[in-house]
Amino acid sequence: MPKQKTNSGAKKRFTFTGTGKIKRHHAYHSHILTKKTKKQKRNLVHQTLVDGSNMKQVRDLLNLR
């Protein structure tokens, strides 16, 4: 049986906390920033945790069983 490969896009986008939770960046902060308010752009800078409803999908991309 061949080795399982980690999704190379996912390994660049997700990191782990010390307790094993998965962190992610907010979307919508890369371009077309002129129409967004300062408050909105400031709040998109911070990292957050992956929601529980998406946890299985992210773990599958990272080959975490």
Side-chain angles (χ1 to χ4, degrees):
M1 187 132 213
K3 291 182 179 178
Q4 295 291 316
K5 290 192 176 180
T6 301
N7 183 284
S8 58
K11 67 185 175 186
K12 298 169 191 173
R13 287 174 168 82
F14 299 106
T15 56
F16 295 94
T17 63
T19 56
K21 296 174 184 171
I22 303 174
K23 293 192 298 186
R24 67 172 179 87
H25 288 283
H26 284 282
Y28 308 112
H29 190 64
S30 58
H31 57 88
I32 314 177
L33 298 173
T34 54
K35 63 178 74 171
K36 295 174 181 131
T37 63
K38 290 178 185 178
K39 181 179 179 180
Q40 185 179 6
K41 289 184 279 192
R42 184 172 62 244
N43 289 332
L44 290 173
V45 169
H46 308 293
Q47 287 188 340
T48 186
L49 297 175
V50 172
D51 190 65
S53 60
N54 298 324
M55 192 64 74
K56 184 181 184 305
Q57 295 166 323
V58 174
R59 290 178 70 83
D60 287 345
L61 288 171
L62 296 172
N63 271 332
L64 302 171
R65 303 277 179 231

